[in-house]
Amino acid sequence: GKYCANKLKSISSQHASFLQDNPDFLRHIETINSEGRLPENALLVALDASALYTNTPQDESLDEVEEKLEQKEDEVPAGFIRRLLETVHKYNFFEFNQELFKQEIGTAMGAKPAPDIADIFMAKLDKLIFEIAAQQKNGTFPLKMFKRFLDDIFAIFCGTVEELH
């Protein structure tokens, strides 16, 4: 798991919505402030991806990770990293009430590569959100800001609540 997390760390942060930490968030807010006043129809939006780790689909997230690994030049083949990740991601056993269970949905919260897997998967969803936003009827891009730290999302949306939904 540690080896895989090391291989994923550099690609899990390579997306437009990536937030590194609180100071990074504040720098983005400062940039928005320096550009002047927000439009009257600007909505500040805070979202949370509910139970991100346990709701991250195993196969789809591994497909996305492998695709991103293939785009990165590395001496270790993407397929090999994927096989290692399958072991960590799909064969997690835990004990509850003195019974053993195999986690079949999502990824284990304590697994070393779990945050990177979830972040890479969420970046795919972020991209879909940007594509949908770009198709707004009035032709203006409504997202003034869209940033995410793992499962926590902050956006500035220009439009109505109905359009946001």
Side-chain angles (χ1 to χ4, degrees):
K2 287 181 185 179
Y3 178 78
C4 291
N6 186 336
K7 290 292 185 183
L8 299 182
K9 187 58 67 189
S10 65
I11 61 172
S12 67
S13 61
Q14 300 301 311
H15 53 88
S17 57
F18 177 73
L19 270 177
Q20 182 178 352
D21 51 22
N22 284 342
D24 187 36
F25 175 72
L26 293 174
R27 283 188 293 275
H28 288 289
I29 295 297
E30 184 58 37
T31 300
I32 295 287
N33 283 338
S34 70
E35 293 172 355
R37 187 180 176 125
L38 288 173
E40 290 295 321
N41 65 344
L43 301 171
L44 303 181
V45 182
L47 302 165
D48 183 80
S50 180
L52 176 59
Y53 294 153
T54 54
N55 283 322
T56 301
Q58 290 183 344
D59 290 326
E60 190 176 349
S61 63
L62 290 178
D63 289 345
E64 188 65 18
V65 166
E66 185 174 19
E67 182 179 319
K68 295 299 180 197
L69 284 168
E70 286 173 348
Q71 295 170 5
K72 179 185 174 197
E73 289 188 29
D74 198 320
E75 69 280 359
V76 180
F80 177 73
I81 302 296
R82 183 194 173 117
R83 293 289 300 175
L84 292 175
L85 283 171
E86 284 175 351
T87 302
V88 173
H89 200 49
K90 290 184 167 187
Y91 300 100
N92 179 53
F93 295 90
F94 60 94
E95 183 179 345
F96 180 74
N97 282 343
Q98 299 176 338
E99 288 187 59
L100 284 178
F101 295 89
K102 177 183 172 203
Q103 183 167 347
E104 295 186 357
I105 300 172
T107 188
M109 289 182 64
K112 290 287 183 191
D116 298 306
I117 292 169
D119 207 10
I120 292 166
F121 176 73
M122 285 293 292
K124 177 182 179 178
L125 299 180
D126 296 346
K127 187 176 177 185
L128 291 173
I129 289 170
F130 287 124
E131 289 172 5
I132 291 168
Q135 297 172 1
Q136 290 295 311
K137 288 181 262 180
N138 61 9
T140 60
F141 192 72
L143 289 173
K144 180 79 172 164
M145 180 179 176
F146 185 93
K147 294 293 178 182
R148 182 177 51 77
F149 182 79
L150 291 174
D151 62 343
D152 298 317
I153 302 166
F154 178 79
I156 299 175
F157 180 85
C158 296
T160 66
V161 173
E162 292 77 20
E163 291 169 330
L164 173 64
H165 287 261

